Every structure is written in C-alpha cells, then in structure tokens.
Amino acid sequence: MLGGALKVSLLNGQSIFGLYSTKALQNQPEVKCANRRDPEICFFMDSANVWFYGVKGSQLYVYDAETDELDLLGPLEHELEELLKQWETPRA
C-alpha cells in the first residue's frame, strides 16, 4: 500500500509480493515481543519492519520495534484513516 510504505498481511493463501500471512506476521520476533505486553492484540500491518499495527477490539495499536514501545492510537476506523492520510502525504 502507498508505494510500499505499508504492508497489510494476507489472511489466507500463498505469500505474494513479500507480504506476510497474518499467521506468519504473528510469529515475527518483533510482534512476539509486542504480544508479551498484550497478547490480545492481533497485528495485521507493518511499515519498514519497524512499526507494527494491530487491533484489539475496536482499538488500533502500534508497536515500535526500535524503541520497544507499544502505544494505543485510538478508535480503529478513525486512526486507520488518519494513518493512511499521514502516509499519503509526501514528506519533505
């Protein structure tokens, strides 16, 4: 998505274009580390193999592998829209 800035995991089937299956994403060391903090978060998207985005209930979370921080972003629908807008905006 967005020129390769974000990668959404696949629910089923063969991996294409280097995308994780959702099951494989859950087995990434970074996601396992995040899940030690909150095992109920299901991660479904990453950016640069550094930021991992997940959902729990109706809330969107992000795990920053570089800083080892897990943060609640807020309501899923709103925060996902905001996240996509941020990634669509060219950076200087």
Side-chain angles (χ1 to χ4, degrees):
M1 288 175 45
L2 303 175
L6 298 172
K7 295 186 296 186
V8 178
S9 62
L10 304 168
L11 290 175
N12 298 324
Q14 287 185 302
S15 178
I16 55 171
F17 307 117
L19 297 177
Y20 297 111
S21 69
T22 300
K23 184 177 180 178
L25 182 59
Q26 302 313 303
N27 287 317
Q28 282 295 107
E30 299 89 349
V31 172
K32 285 185 173 187
C33 186
N35 278 146
R36 282 194 282 276
R37 296 172 184 264
D38 191 332
E40 293 181 23
I41 298 172
C42 179
F43 289 87
F44 66 93
M45 185 169 65
D46 80 85
S47 178
N49 295 324
V50 175
W51 300 285
F52 296 84
Y53 297 91
V55 65
K56 175 180 160 185
S58 62
Q59 301 294 308
L60 182 65
Y61 289 79
V62 63
Y63 176 70
D64 183 333
E66 287 185 340
T67 62
D68 190 34
E69 293 179 2
L70 177 65
D71 294 305
L72 169 63
L73 295 177
L76 177 62
E77 186 174 343
H78 177 265
E79 293 302 325
L80 193 52
E81 287 176 8
E82 290 299 313
L83 178 66
L84 293 174
K85 285 178 193 174
Q86 286 175 15
W87 283 103
E88 286 177 333
T89 304
R91 296 186 178 114

